[in-house]
Amino acid sequence: MEKKIVIVRTYSAGVNVGELVSRSGTEVTLVRSHKIWRWRGANTLHELAIRGASTTEYTRISEPSPGEVTLTGVIEVLECSPAAAENLMRPRWL
């Protein structure tokens, strides 16, 4: 089974993107997880999940986590399109 790349918005851990391992209630576990600090090229997280972020200097996406990340207080989980997944899983931190 192919792993889903998802965007996860939480109450206190911000916005993350990564490969979904599991989801239970308001808890999500990801691997290869990146923090999305800021972006351009999309107005909402829904649009970000469709087409990704711009590749300008403004967009900030962290290096991936070294292992599993468990996020609590999850507000929404958005599955990414293949194009958005490819775009968002690349770090951009200048």
Side-chain angles (χ1 to χ4, degrees):
M1 181 171 86
E2 186 177 320
K3 298 282 185 168
K4 293 180 183 180
I5 303 298
V6 296
I7 296 172
V8 179
R9 183 167 65 109
T10 70
Y11 280 106
S12 60
V15 176
N16 299 264
V17 62
E19 193 174 298
L20 181 64
V21 174
S22 66
R23 180 179 184 186
S24 178
T26 61
E27 185 174 289
V28 169
T29 299
L30 303 175
V31 292
R32 298 181 353 168
S33 174
H34 301 257
K35 289 271 190 196
I36 301 176
W37 291 96
R38 64 185 191 199
W39 70 88
R40 286 210 169 121
N43 293 313
T44 66
L45 291 181
H46 291 257
E47 292 171 359
L48 201 61
I50 294 168
R51 47 179 180 268
S54 71
T55 56
T56 65
E57 288 183 11
Y58 184 83
T59 297
R60 296 286 188 261
I61 300 173
S62 74
E63 295 290 329
S65 63
E68 285 190 354
V69 172
T70 300
L71 302 164
T72 59
V74 171
I75 300 168
E76 71 183 326
V77 177
L78 300 164
E79 186 173 346
C80 292
S81 72
E86 182 179 334
N87 173 283
L88 296 172
M89 294 298 282
R90 287 192 328 259
R92 281 170 250 169
W93 202 275
L94 302 173

Coordinates of all heavy atoms in Angstrom, one line a residue:
M1 N 0.8 -1.2 0.0 CA 0.0 0.0 0.0 C 0.9 1.2 0.0 O 1.8 1.4 0.8 CB -0.9 0.0 1.2 CG -1.8 1.2 1.3 SD -3.1 1.0 2.6 CE -2.2 1.7 4.0
E2 N 0.6 2.2 -0.9 CA 1.3 3.4 -1.0 C 1.0 4.3 0.2 O -0.2 4.5 0.6 CB 1.0 4.1 -2.3 CG 1.8 5.4 -2.5 CD 1.5 6.0 -3.9 OE1 1.3 5.2 -4.8 OE2 1.4 7.2 -3.9
K3 N 2.0 4.9 0.8 CA 1.8 5.8 1.9 C 1.2 7.2 1.4 O 1.6 7.7 0.4 CB 3.1 6.1 2.7 CG 3.7 4.8 3.3 CD 3.0 4.5 4.5 CE 3.7 3.3 5.2 NZ 3.2 3.1 6.5
K4 N 0.3 7.7 2.2 CA -0.3 9.0 1.8 C 0.6 10.1 2.4 O 1.1 10.1 3.5 CB -1.7 9.2 2.4 CG -2.7 8.3 1.9 CD -4.0 8.5 2.5 CE -5.1 7.5 2.0 NZ -6.4 7.8 2.6
I5 N 0.8 11.2 1.6 CA 1.4 12.4 2.1 C 0.3 13.4 2.5 O -0.6 13.6 1.7 CB 2.3 13.1 1.0 CG1 3.4 12.1 0.5 CG2 3.0 14.3 1.5 CD1 4.4 11.6 1.6
V6 N 0.4 13.8 3.7 CA -0.7 14.7 4.2 C -0.1 16.0 4.9 O 1.0 16.0 5.3 CB -1.5 13.9 5.3 CG1 -2.3 12.7 4.7 CG2 -0.7 13.5 6.5
I7 N -1.0 17.0 4.9 CA -0.7 18.2 5.6 C -1.5 18.1 6.9 O -2.7 17.7 6.9 CB -1.1 19.5 4.8 CG1 -0.3 19.6 3.6 CG2 -1.0 20.7 5.7 CD1 -0.8 20.7 2.7
V8 N -0.9 18.4 8.0 CA -1.6 18.3 9.3 C -1.5 19.6 10.0 O -0.4 20.2 10.2 CB -0.9 17.2 10.2 CG1 -1.6 17.1 11.6 CG2 -1.0 15.8 9.5
R9 N -2.6 20.2 10.4 CA -2.7 21.4 11.2 C -3.1 21.0 12.6 O -4.0 20.3 12.8 CB -3.7 22.4 10.6 CG -3.8 23.7 11.3 CD -4.5 24.7 10.6 NE -5.9 24.4 10.4 CZ -6.9 25.0 11.0 NH1 -6.7 26.0 11.9 NH2 -8.2 24.7 10.8
T10 N -2.3 21.6 13.6 CA -2.6 21.3 15.0 C -2.8 22.6 15.7 O -2.6 23.7 15.2 CB -1.4 20.6 15.6 OG1 -0.3 21.5 15.7 CG2 -0.9 19.4 14.8
Y11 N -3.3 22.4 17.0 CA -3.5 23.6 17.8 C -2.2 24.3 18.2 O -2.1 25.5 18.2 CB -4.2 23.2 19.1 CG -5.7 23.1 18.9 CD1 -6.3 21.8 18.9 CD2 -6.5 24.2 18.8 CE1 -7.7 21.7 18.7 CE2 -7.9 24.0 18.6 CZ -8.5 22.8 18.6 OH -9.8 22.6 18.4
S12 N -1.2 23.5 18.6 CA 0.0 24.1 19.1 C 1.3 23.7 18.4 O 2.4 24.3 18.7 CB 0.2 23.8 20.6 OG 0.2 22.4 20.8
A13 N 1.3 22.8 17.5 CA 2.5 22.4 16.8 C 2.6 22.9 15.3 O 3.4 22.5 14.6 CB 2.7 20.8 16.8
G14 N 1.7 23.8 15.0 CA 1.7 24.4 13.7 C 1.3 23.5 12.6 O 0.5 22.6 12.7
V15 N 1.9 23.7 11.4 CA 1.5 23.0 10.2 C 2.7 22.1 9.8 O 3.8 22.5 9.7 CB 1.2 23.9 9.0 CG1 0.9 23.2 7.7 CG2 0.0 24.8 9.4
N16 N 2.3 20.8 9.6 CA 3.3 19.8 9.2 C 2.9 19.1 8.0 O 1.7 19.0 7.7 CB 3.5 18.8 10.4 CG 3.9 19.4 11.6 OD1 5.1 19.4 12.0 ND2 3.0 19.9 12.4
V17 N 3.9 18.5 7.2 CA 3.6 17.7 6.1 C 4.5 16.5 6.2 O 5.6 16.6 6.6 CB 3.8 18.4 4.7 CG1 5.3 18.9 4.5 CG2 3.4 17.6 3.5
G18 N 3.9 15.3 5.9 CA 4.7 14.1 5.9 C 3.9 12.9 5.5 O 2.8 13.0 5.1
E19 N 4.6 11.8 5.7 CA 4.0 10.5 5.3 C 3.2 9.9 6.5 O 3.7 9.8 7.6 CB 5.1 9.5 4.9 CG 4.7 8.3 4.3 CD 6.0 7.5 3.9 OE1 6.8 8.0 3.1 OE2 6.1 6.4 4.4
L20 N 1.9 9.7 6.2 CA 1.0 9.3 7.3 C 1.3 7.8 7.7 O 1.3 6.9 6.9 CB -0.5 9.4 6.8 CG -1.6 9.0 7.8 CD1 -1.6 9.9 9.0 CD2 -2.9 9.0 7.1
V21 N 1.5 7.6 9.0 CA 1.7 6.3 9.6 C 0.4 5.8 10.2 O -0.1 4.7 10.0 CB 2.8 6.3 10.6 CG1 3.0 5.0 11.3 CG2 4.2 6.7 9.9
S22 N -0.2 6.7 11.1 CA -1.4 6.3 11.7 C -2.2 7.6 12.2 O -1.6 8.7 12.3 CB -1.2 5.5 12.9 OG -0.4 6.2 13.9
R23 N -3.5 7.4 12.4 CA -4.3 8.4 12.9 C -5.4 7.8 13.9 O -6.0 6.8 13.5 CB -5.1 9.1 11.7 CG -6.0 10.2 12.2 CD -6.7 10.8 11.0 NE -7.5 12.0 11.4 CZ -8.3 12.6 10.6 NH1 -8.4 12.3 9.3 NH2 -9.0 13.6 11.1
S24 N -5.5 8.5 15.0 CA -6.4 8.0 16.0 C -7.0 9.2 16.7 O -6.2 9.9 17.5 CB -5.8 7.1 17.0 OG -6.7 6.7 18.0
G25 N -8.2 9.6 16.5 CA -8.8 10.7 17.1 C -8.1 12.0 16.7 O -7.9 12.3 15.5
T26 N -7.6 12.7 17.7 CA -6.9 14.0 17.4 C -5.3 13.8 17.5 O -4.6 14.7 17.7 CB -7.3 15.1 18.4 OG1 -6.9 14.7 19.7 CG2 -8.7 15.4 18.2
E27 N -4.9 12.5 17.2 CA -3.5 12.2 17.2 C -3.1 11.6 15.9 O -3.8 10.7 15.4 CB -3.2 11.3 18.4 CG -1.7 11.0 18.5 CD -1.4 10.1 19.7 OE1 -1.6 10.6 20.9 OE2 -1.1 8.9 19.6
V28 N -2.0 12.1 15.3 CA -1.5 11.7 14.0 C 0.0 11.4 14.1 O 0.7 12.2 14.7 CB -1.8 12.7 12.9 CG1 -1.0 12.4 11.6 CG2 -3.2 12.9 12.6
T29 N 0.4 10.3 13.6 CA 1.9 10.0 13.5 C 2.3 10.0 12.1 O 1.7 9.5 11.2 CB 2.2 8.6 14.1 OG1 1.7 8.6 15.5 CG2 3.6 8.3 14.1
L30 N 3.5 10.7 11.9 CA 4.0 10.9 10.5 C 5.5 10.4 10.6 O 6.1 10.4 11.6 CB 4.1 12.4 10.1 CG 2.7 13.2 10.1 CD1 3.0 14.6 9.8 CD2 1.8 12.6 9.0
V31 N 6.0 10.1 9.4 CA 7.5 9.9 9.2 C 7.8 10.9 8.1 O 7.0 11.3 7.3 CB 7.9 8.5 8.9 CG1 7.7 7.6 10.1 CG2 7.2 7.9 7.7
R32 N 9.1 11.1 8.0 CA 9.6 12.1 7.0 C 8.8 13.4 7.1 O 8.5 14.0 6.1 CB 9.5 11.5 5.5 CG 10.3 10.3 5.3 CD 10.2 9.8 3.9 NE 9.2 10.5 3.1 CZ 9.1 10.5 1.8 NH1 9.8 9.7 1.1 NH2 8.1 11.1 1.2
S33 N 8.6 13.8 8.3 CA 7.8 15.0 8.6 C 8.6 16.3 8.5 O 9.7 16.4 8.9 CB 7.2 14.9 10.0 OG 6.5 16.1 10.3
H34 N 8.0 17.3 7.8 CA 8.6 18.6 7.7 C 7.6 19.6 8.3 O 6.4 19.5 8.2 CB 8.7 19.0 6.2 CG 9.5 18.1 5.4 ND1 10.8 18.4 5.0 CD2 9.2 16.9 4.8 CE1 11.3 17.4 4.3 NE2 10.3 16.5 4.1
K35 N 8.2 20.7 9.0 CA 7.4 21.8 9.4 C 7.3 22.8 8.3 O 8.2 23.1 7.6 CB 8.1 22.6 10.6 CG 8.1 21.8 11.9 CD 6.9 22.1 12.6 CE 7.1 21.6 14.0 NZ 5.8 21.5 14.7
I36 N 6.1 23.3 8.1 CA 5.8 24.3 7.1 C 5.7 25.6 7.9 O 4.7 25.8 8.5 CB 4.6 24.1 6.2 CG1 4.7 22.8 5.5 CG2 4.4 25.2 5.2 CD1 3.5 22.4 4.6
W37 N 6.7 26.5 7.8 CA 6.7 27.7 8.7 C 5.9 28.8 8.0 O 5.2 29.6 8.6 CB 8.1 28.1 9.0 CG 8.8 27.2 9.9 CD1 9.6 26.1 9.5 CD2 8.7 27.1 11.3 NE1 10.0 25.5 10.6 CE2 9.5 26.0 11.8 CE3 8.0 27.9 12.2 CZ2 9.6 25.7 13.1 CZ3 8.1 27.6 13.6 CH2 8.9 26.5 14.0
R38 N 6.1 29.0 6.7 CA 5.4 30.0 5.9 C 5.5 29.6 4.5 O 6.3 28.9 4.0 CB 6.0 31.4 6.2 CG 7.4 31.6 5.7 CD 7.9 32.9 6.1 NE 9.1 33.2 5.4 CZ 10.0 34.1 5.8 NH1 9.8 34.8 6.9 NH2 11.1 34.2 5.1
W39 N 4.5 30.2 3.7 CA 4.5 29.9 2.3 C 3.8 31.0 1.5 O 3.1 31.8 2.0 CB 3.7 28.5 2.0 CG 2.3 28.6 2.3 CD1 1.3 29.0 1.4 CD2 1.6 28.4 3.5 NE1 0.1 29.0 2.0 CE2 0.2 28.6 3.3 CE3 2.0 28.0 4.8 CZ2 -0.7 28.4 4.3 CZ3 1.0 27.8 5.8 CH2 -0.3 28.0 5.5
R40 N 4.1 30.9 0.2 CA 3.4 31.7 -0.8 C 2.9 30.8 -1.9 O 3.4 29.7 -2.0 CB 4.3 32.8 -1.3 CG 4.5 33.9 -0.4 CD 4.7 35.2 -1.0 NE 4.7 36.3 0.0 CZ 5.7 37.1 0.2 NH1 6.8 37.0 -0.5 NH2 5.6 38.1 1.1
G41 N 2.0 31.2 -2.7 CA 1.5 30.4 -3.8 C 0.2 29.7 -3.5 O -0.3 29.0 -4.4
A42 N -0.3 29.8 -2.3 CA -1.6 29.2 -2.0 C -2.2 30.1 -0.9 O -1.5 30.6 0.0 CB -1.4 27.8 -1.5
N43 N -3.5 30.3 -1.0 CA -4.2 31.1 0.0 C -4.6 30.3 1.3 O -4.6 30.8 2.4 CB -5.5 31.7 -0.6 CG -5.2 32.7 -1.6 OD1 -4.3 33.6 -1.5 ND2 -5.9 32.6 -2.8
T44 N -4.9 29.0 1.1 CA -5.3 28.2 2.2 C -4.5 26.9 2.2 O -3.9 26.5 1.3 CB -6.8 27.8 2.1 OG1 -7.0 27.0 0.9 CG2 -7.7 29.1 2.0
L45 N -4.7 26.1 3.3 CA -4.1 24.8 3.4 C -4.7 23.9 2.3 O -4.0 23.0 1.8 CB -4.2 24.2 4.7 CG -3.4 24.8 5.8 CD1 -3.6 24.1 7.2 CD2 -1.9 24.9 5.5
H46 N -5.9 24.1 2.0 CA -6.6 23.2 1.0 C -5.9 23.4 -0.4 O -5.6 22.5 -1.1 CB -8.1 23.6 0.8 CG -8.9 23.2 2.0 ND1 -9.7 22.0 2.0 CD2 -9.0 23.7 3.3 CE1 -10.2 21.9 3.2 NE2 -9.8 22.9 4.0
E47 N -5.6 24.7 -0.7 CA -4.9 25.0 -2.0 C -3.5 24.5 -1.9 O -2.9 24.0 -2.9 CB -4.9 26.5 -2.3 CG -6.3 27.0 -2.6 CD -6.4 28.5 -2.7 OE1 -5.4 29.2 -2.4 OE2 -7.5 29.0 -2.9
L48 N -2.8 24.6 -0.7 CA -1.5 24.0 -0.6 C -1.5 22.5 -0.8 O -0.5 22.0 -1.4 CB -1.0 24.3 0.9 CG 0.5 24.4 1.2 CD1 1.2 25.4 0.3 CD2 0.7 24.6 2.6
A49 N -2.5 21.8 -0.4 CA -2.6 20.4 -0.6 C -2.9 20.0 -2.1 O -2.6 18.9 -2.5 CB -3.7 19.8 0.3
I50 N -3.4 21.0 -2.8 CA -3.7 20.7 -4.2 C -2.4 21.0 -5.1 O -2.1 20.1 -5.9 CB -4.8 21.6 -4.7 CG1 -6.1 21.2 -4.0 CG2 -5.0 21.5 -6.3 CD1 -7.3 22.2 -4.2
R51 N -1.8 22.1 -4.9 CA -0.7 22.5 -5.8 C 0.7 22.7 -5.1 O 1.7 22.9 -5.8 CB -1.0 23.6 -6.7 CG -1.6 24.8 -6.1 CD -1.9 25.9 -7.2 NE -2.5 27.0 -6.5 CZ -3.8 27.2 -6.4 NH1 -4.6 26.3 -6.9 NH2 -4.3 28.2 -5.7
G52 N 0.7 22.7 -3.8 CA 2.0 23.0 -3.1 C 2.3 24.5 -3.0 O 1.4 25.3 -3.2
A53 N 3.5 24.8 -2.6 CA 3.9 26.2 -2.3 C 4.8 26.7 -3.4 O 5.4 25.9 -4.2 CB 4.6 26.3 -1.0
S54 N 4.9 28.0 -3.5 CA 5.8 28.6 -4.5 C 7.3 28.2 -4.1 O 7.5 27.9 -2.9 CB 5.7 30.1 -4.5 OG 6.2 30.7 -3.3
T55 N 8.1 28.3 -5.0 CA 9.5 28.0 -4.8 C 10.4 29.2 -4.5 O 11.6 29.2 -4.6 CB 10.1 27.2 -5.9 OG1 10.0 27.9 -7.1 CG2 9.4 25.8 -6.0
T56 N 9.7 30.3 -4.2 CA 10.5 31.6 -3.9 C 11.2 31.5 -2.5 O 11.0 30.6 -1.8 CB 9.5 32.8 -3.8 OG1 8.6 32.6 -2.7 CG2 8.7 32.9 -5.1
E57 N 12.0 32.5 -2.3 CA 12.8 32.5 -1.0 C 11.9 32.7 0.2 O 12.3 32.3 1.3 CB 13.7 33.7 -1.1 CG 14.9 33.5 -2.0 CD 15.9 34.7 -1.9 OE1 15.8 35.5 -1.0 OE2 16.8 34.7 -2.8
Y58 N 10.7 33.2 0.0 CA 9.8 33.4 1.1 C 9.3 32.1 1.8 O 9.2 32.0 3.0 CB 8.5 34.2 0.7 CG 7.6 34.5 1.9 CD1 7.9 35.6 2.7 CD2 6.6 33.7 2.2 CE1 7.1 35.9 3.7 CE2 5.7 34.0 3.3 CZ 6.0 35.1 4.0 OH 5.2 35.4 5.1
T59 N 9.1 31.1 1.0 CA 8.5 29.8 1.5 C 9.6 29.1 2.4 O 10.8 29.0 2.0 CB 8.1 28.9 0.4 OG1 7.1 29.5 -0.4 CG2 7.7 27.5 0.8
R60 N 9.2 28.6 3.6 CA 10.1 28.0 4.5 C 9.5 26.6 4.9 O 8.5 26.5 5.5 CB 10.3 28.8 5.8 CG 10.9 30.1 5.6 CD 12.4 29.9 5.3 NE 13.1 31.2 5.3 CZ 13.5 31.8 4.2 NH1 13.1 31.3 3.0 NH2 14.1 32.9 4.2
I61 N 10.2 25.6 4.5 CA 9.9 24.2 4.8 C 11.1 23.6 5.4 O 12.2 23.6 4.8 CB 9.4 23.4 3.6 CG1 8.1 24.1 3.0 CG2 9.1 21.9 4.0 CD1 7.6 23.5 1.7
S62 N 11.0 23.0 6.6 CA 12.2 22.5 7.3 C 12.7 21.2 6.7 O 12.1 20.5 5.9 CB 11.8 22.2 8.8 OG 11.0 21.0 8.9
E63 N 13.9 20.8 7.2 CA 14.5 19.5 6.9 C 13.5 18.4 7.5 O 12.8 18.7 8.4 CB 15.8 19.3 7.5 CG 16.9 20.3 6.9 CD 17.3 19.9 5.5 OE1 17.2 18.7 5.1 OE2 17.6 20.9 4.7
P64 N 13.5 17.2 7.0 CA 12.6 16.2 7.5 C 13.1 15.7 8.9 O 14.2 15.8 9.3 CB 12.8 15.0 6.5 CG 14.1 15.2 5.9 CD 14.4 16.7 5.9
S65 N 12.1 15.2 9.7 CA 12.4 14.7 11.0 C 13.2 13.4 10.8 O 13.1 12.7 9.8 CB 11.1 14.3 11.7 OG 10.4 13.3 11.0
P66 N 14.0 13.0 11.8 CA 14.8 11.9 11.7 C 14.1 10.5 11.9 O 14.6 9.5 11.7 CB 15.9 12.0 12.8 CG 15.2 12.9 13.8 CD 14.3 13.8 13.0
G67 N 12.9 10.6 12.4 CA 12.1 9.4 12.7 C 10.6 9.8 12.7 O 10.2 10.7 12.1
E68 N 9.9 9.0 13.5 CA 8.4 9.3 13.7 C 8.2 10.5 14.5 O 8.9 10.9 15.4 CB 7.7 8.1 14.4 CG 7.5 6.9 13.5 CD 6.6 5.9 14.2 OE1 6.3 6.0 15.4 OE2 6.3 4.9 13.5
V69 N 7.1 11.3 14.1 CA 6.7 12.4 14.8 C 5.2 12.2 15.2 O 4.4 11.9 14.3 CB 6.8 13.7 14.0 CG1 6.1 14.9 14.7 CG2 8.3 14.0 13.7
T70 N 4.8 12.3 16.4 CA 3.4 12.1 16.8 C 2.9 13.5 17.2 O 3.5 14.2 18.0 CB 3.3 11.2 18.0 OG1 3.8 9.9 17.6 CG2 1.8 11.0 18.4
L71 N 1.8 13.9 16.5 CA 1.2 15.2 16.7 C -0.1 15.0 17.4 O -0.9 14.2 17.0 CB 1.0 15.9 15.3 CG 2.2 16.1 14.5 CD1 1.9 16.4 13.1 CD2 3.1 17.2 15.1
T72 N -0.3 15.8 18.4 CA -1.6 15.8 19.2 C -2.3 17.1 19.0 O -1.7 18.1 18.5 CB -1.3 15.6 20.7 OG1 -0.5 16.6 21.2 CG2 -0.6 14.2 20.9
G73 N -3.6 17.1 19.3 CA -4.4 18.3 19.1 C -4.6 18.7 17.6 O -4.6 19.8 17.2
V74 N -4.7 17.6 16.8 CA -4.9 17.8 15.4 C -6.2 18.4 15.1 O -7.3 17.9 15.5 CB -4.7 16.4 14.7 CG1 -5.0 16.6 13.2 CG2 -3.2 16.0 14.8
I75 N -6.2 19.4 14.2 CA -7.4 20.1 13.8 C -7.9 19.6 12.5 O -9.1 19.4 12.2 CB -7.2 21.6 13.7 CG1 -6.8 22.2 15.1 CG2 -8.5 22.3 13.2 CD1 -6.3 23.6 15.0
E76 N -7.0 19.4 11.5 CA -7.3 18.9 10.2 C -6.2 18.2 9.6 O -5.0 18.4 9.9 CB -7.9 20.0 9.3 CG -6.9 21.0 8.8 CD -7.5 22.1 7.9 OE1 -8.5 21.8 7.2 OE2 -7.0 23.2 7.9
V77 N -6.6 17.2 8.7 CA -5.6 16.4 8.0 C -6.1 16.5 6.5 O -7.2 16.1 6.2 CB -5.6 14.9 8.5 CG1 -4.6 14.1 7.6 CG2 -5.2 14.8 9.9
L78 N -5.2 16.9 5.7 CA -5.5 17.1 4.2 C -4.6 16.2 3.4 O -3.3 16.3 3.5 CB -5.3 18.5 3.8 CG -6.2 19.5 4.5 CD1 -5.6 20.9 4.3 CD2 -7.6 19.4 4.1
E79 N -5.1 15.3 2.6 CA -4.3 14.5 1.7 C -3.8 15.4 0.6 O -4.5 16.1 0.0 CB -5.1 13.3 1.2 CG -4.3 12.4 0.4 CD -5.1 11.1 0.0 OE1 -6.2 10.9 0.5 OE2 -4.6 10.4 -0.9
C80 N -2.5 15.2 0.2 CA -1.9 16.0 -0.8 C -2.1 15.3 -2.2 O -2.0 14.1 -2.3 CB -0.4 16.2 -0.6 SG -0.1 17.2 0.9
S81 N -2.2 16.1 -3.2 CA -2.1 15.6 -4.6 C -0.7 15.2 -4.8 O 0.2 15.6 -4.1 CB -2.5 16.7 -5.6 OG -1.5 17.7 -5.7
P82 N -0.5 14.3 -5.8 CA 0.9 13.9 -6.2 C 1.8 15.1 -6.4 O 3.0 15.2 -6.0 CB 0.7 13.0 -7.4 CG -0.6 12.5 -7.3 CD -1.5 13.6 -6.7
A83 N 1.3 16.1 -7.1 CA 2.1 17.3 -7.4 C 2.5 18.1 -6.2 O 3.6 18.5 -6.0 CB 1.4 18.2 -8.4
A84 N 1.5 18.3 -5.3 CA 1.7 19.0 -4.0 C 2.7 18.2 -3.1 O 3.5 18.8 -2.5 CB 0.4 19.3 -3.3
A85 N 2.5 16.9 -3.1 CA 3.4 16.1 -2.2 C 4.8 16.2 -2.7 O 5.7 16.4 -1.9 CB 3.0 14.6 -2.3
E86 N 5.1 16.1 -4.0 CA 6.5 16.3 -4.5 C 7.0 17.7 -4.1 O 8.1 17.8 -3.7 CB 6.5 16.1 -6.0 CG 7.8 16.2 -6.6 CD 7.9 15.9 -8.1 OE1 6.9 15.2 -8.6 OE2 8.8 16.4 -8.7
N87 N 6.2 18.7 -4.3 CA 6.6 20.1 -4.0 C 6.9 20.3 -2.5 O 7.9 20.8 -2.1 CB 5.5 21.0 -4.4 CG 5.7 22.4 -4.1 OD1 5.5 22.8 -2.9 ND2 6.1 23.2 -5.0
L88 N 6.0 19.8 -1.6 CA 6.1 20.1 -0.2 C 7.1 19.2 0.6 O 7.5 19.6 1.7 CB 4.7 20.0 0.5 CG 3.7 20.9 0.0 CD1 2.3 20.6 0.5 CD2 4.1 22.4 0.3
M89 N 7.5 18.1 0.0 CA 8.4 17.2 0.7 C 9.9 17.6 0.4 O 10.8 16.9 0.8 CB 8.2 15.8 0.3 CG 6.8 15.2 0.8 SD 6.7 15.2 2.6 CE 7.6 13.8 3.0
R90 N 10.1 18.8 -0.2 CA 11.5 19.3 -0.5 C 11.7 20.5 0.5 O 11.0 21.4 0.5 CB 11.6 19.9 -1.9 CG 11.7 18.8 -3.0 CD 12.1 19.4 -4.3 NE 11.6 20.7 -4.5 CZ 10.6 21.1 -5.3 NH1 9.8 20.2 -5.9 NH2 10.2 22.3 -5.4
P91 N 12.8 20.4 1.3 CA 13.1 21.5 2.3 C 13.4 22.7 1.5 O 14.0 22.7 0.4 CB 14.3 21.0 3.0 CG 14.4 19.5 2.7 CD 13.7 19.3 1.5
R92 N 13.0 23.9 2.1 CA 13.4 25.2 1.6 C 13.7 26.1 2.7 O 12.8 26.6 3.3 CB 12.3 25.8 0.7 CG 12.2 25.2 -0.7 CD 11.0 25.6 -1.3 NE 10.2 24.3 -1.4 CZ 9.0 24.2 -1.8 NH1 8.3 25.3 -2.1 NH2 8.4 23.1 -1.8
W93 N 14.9 26.2 3.1 CA 15.3 27.0 4.2 C 16.6 27.7 3.9 O 17.7 27.1 4.0 CB 15.4 26.1 5.5 CG 15.3 27.0 6.7 CD1 16.3 27.7 7.3 CD2 14.1 27.2 7.4 NE1 15.8 28.3 8.4 CE2 14.5 28.0 8.5 CE3 12.8 26.7 7.3 CZ2 13.5 28.4 9.5 CZ3 11.9 27.2 8.3 CH2 12.3 28.0 9.3
L94 N 16.6 28.9 3.5 CA 17.8 29.6 3.0 C 18.4 30.4 4.2 O 17.8 30.9 5.0 CB 17.5 30.5 1.9 CG 16.9 29.8 0.6 CD1 16.5 30.8 -0.4 CD2 17.9 28.8 0.1

